Amino acid sequence: MTFEISPVGYVRSALKERTGAPKQGWEGAPDARLEILPEFAECLDGVEAGQDIWILTWLHEARRSVLKVRPRGDMRNPITGVFATRSPDRPNPIGLHRAKVLSVDAGGGLEVEALEAIDGTPVVDIKPVLDRACDGGTGLPILKC
Amino acid sequence: MTFEISPVGYVRSALKERTGAPKQGWEGAPDARLEILPEFAECLDGVEAGQDIWILTWLHEARRSVLKVRPRGDMRNPITGVFATRSPDRPNPIGLHRAKVLSVDAGGGLEVEALEAIDGTPVVDIKPVLDRACDGGTGLPILKC
């Protein structure tokens, strides 16, 4: 059984290659732009500057046959199953990135802070960050927390 | 352009139907079991009881043509783009669930706390929760924070 996913947009970034890219956003990643395809632009209605979002991507350069790695490519780390790591190499290479929205334009462009995904990475979903501790139990997105 | 994803396992839960299921784990969801397929069981090496993980699922009952919803199905909420909500109905219906691991067995079974996904939901990826504030900058998984 397989499921098909399609890009809803693409990452535009100064990061051009996987080699040398930061492994997490907070490790020096640059701000980046998400260009959402016109047919999905209305899915952004309600996404606001200042909000934290989850960006789900398709890590298009990943090797899907890899089941174990040394975390962070560091030979001092023990061989570990990929589900216990954030390795991009994994059976279904879906990237999960938390970022703050800097601006949204009506045409489907989103500027986001500190994103470690490389230029051209397909975006497959965007979700608001929820935080049980901050939303008063409403289940609604957190703007500020 | 499309990408193919395949289940790496399935959710086993007392929740049998989408109707009436909690929308978030902390809204009264039961503990559940993830059954990882034998060919992916070694991907779990290093996942430990007590750890928080992200479980990515394929929301197999979702309607993919839905671009806007009223959040939480509440008519008092304004019509909102799905990327600003956690609606399961969205172009690529990938579910994102944070849960604590209660136990792991060598055969590929994981017991997890408070999961809102229904029985039979395909699991497509598992990742450790990382937290910039808690990992001392190592980028390694958080066991306790």
Side-chain angles (χ1 to χ4, degrees):
Chain A
M1 185 184 355
T2 61
F3 312 113
E4 284 197 348
I5 58 177
S6 300
V8 299
Y10 293 90
V11 173
R12 298 299 167 213
S13 172
L15 291 175
K16 302 298 181 191
E17 292 184 14
R18 179 175 160 176
T19 307
K23 295 190 190 307
Q24 301 299 327
W26 61 76
E27 298 178 313
D31 298 348
R33 181 175 174 82
L34 309 183
E35 292 180 353
I36 303 303
L37 298 169
E39 58 267 42
F40 299 113
E42 66 179 295
C43 298
L44 289 174
D45 285 6
V47 176
E48 294 182 23
Q51 180 179 8
D52 269 20
I53 55 172
W54 292 112
I55 303 162
L56 280 68
T57 59
W58 184 257
L59 301 168
H60 57 303
E61 297 194 3
R63 291 168 295 149
R64 304 183 66 173
S65 59
V66 173
L67 304 181
K68 293 186 151 191
V69 295
R70 292 193 191 267
R72 300 181 65 81
D74 187 332
M75 295 304 287
R76 292 168 298 185
N77 288 327
I79 295 261
T80 305
V82 292
F83 293 164
T85 82
R86 295 299 278 264
S87 168
D89 297 321
R90 53 206 308 120
N92 292 308
I94 299 166
L96 178 64
H97 320 267
R98 181 173 174 159
K100 186 179 292 296
V101 177
L102 297 174
S103 66
V104 189
D105 67 60
L110 245 79
E111 303 282 343
V112 300
E113 196 173 75
L115 183 66
E116 74 277 21
I118 63 176
D119 188 63
T121 299
V123 175
V124 298
D125 198 12
I126 293 172
K127 300 178 190 293
V129 171
L130 302 184
D131 186 331
R132 178 185 192 173
C134 308
D135 75 351
T138 61
L140 291 170
I142 315 302
L143 280 176
K144 292 188 175 60
C145 174
Chain B
M1 187 185 355
T2 61
F3 313 112
E4 284 198 347
I5 58 177
S6 300
V8 297
Y10 292 90
V11 173
R12 298 299 167 212
S13 172
L15 291 175
K16 302 299 182 190
E17 292 183 14
R18 179 174 160 177
T19 308
K23 295 190 192 302
Q24 300 298 328
W26 60 76
E27 298 177 313
D31 298 347
R33 181 175 174 81
L34 310 184
E35 292 180 354
I36 302 303
L37 298 170
E39 60 266 42
F40 299 113
E42 66 179 295
C43 298
L44 289 173
D45 285 5
V47 176
E48 295 182 23
Q51 179 179 9
D52 270 19
I53 55 173
W54 291 112
I55 303 162
L56 280 68
T57 59
W58 184 257
L59 300 168
H60 56 302
E61 296 195 3
R63 291 168 295 149
R64 304 184 65 172
S65 60
V66 173
L67 303 181
K68 293 187 151 192
V69 295
R70 291 192 190 268
R72 300 180 65 81
D74 186 332
M75 295 305 286
R76 293 167 298 185
N77 288 328
I79 295 260
T80 305
V82 291
F83 294 163
T85 82
R86 295 297 279 263
S87 168
D89 297 321
R90 53 205 310 120
N92 292 309
I94 299 167
L96 178 63
H97 321 267
R98 180 174 174 159
K100 186 181 291 297
V101 177
L102 297 173
S103 66
V104 190
D105 67 60
L110 244 81
E111 303 283 341
V112 299
E113 196 173 76
L115 183 67
E116 74 277 21
I118 63 176
D119 189 62
T121 299
V123 175
V124 298
D125 198 12
I126 293 173
K127 299 179 192 292
V129 170
L130 301 185
D131 187 330
R132 179 185 190 171
C134 307
D135 75 353
T138 62
L140 291 169
I142 316 301
L143 281 174
K144 292 187 176 61
C145 175

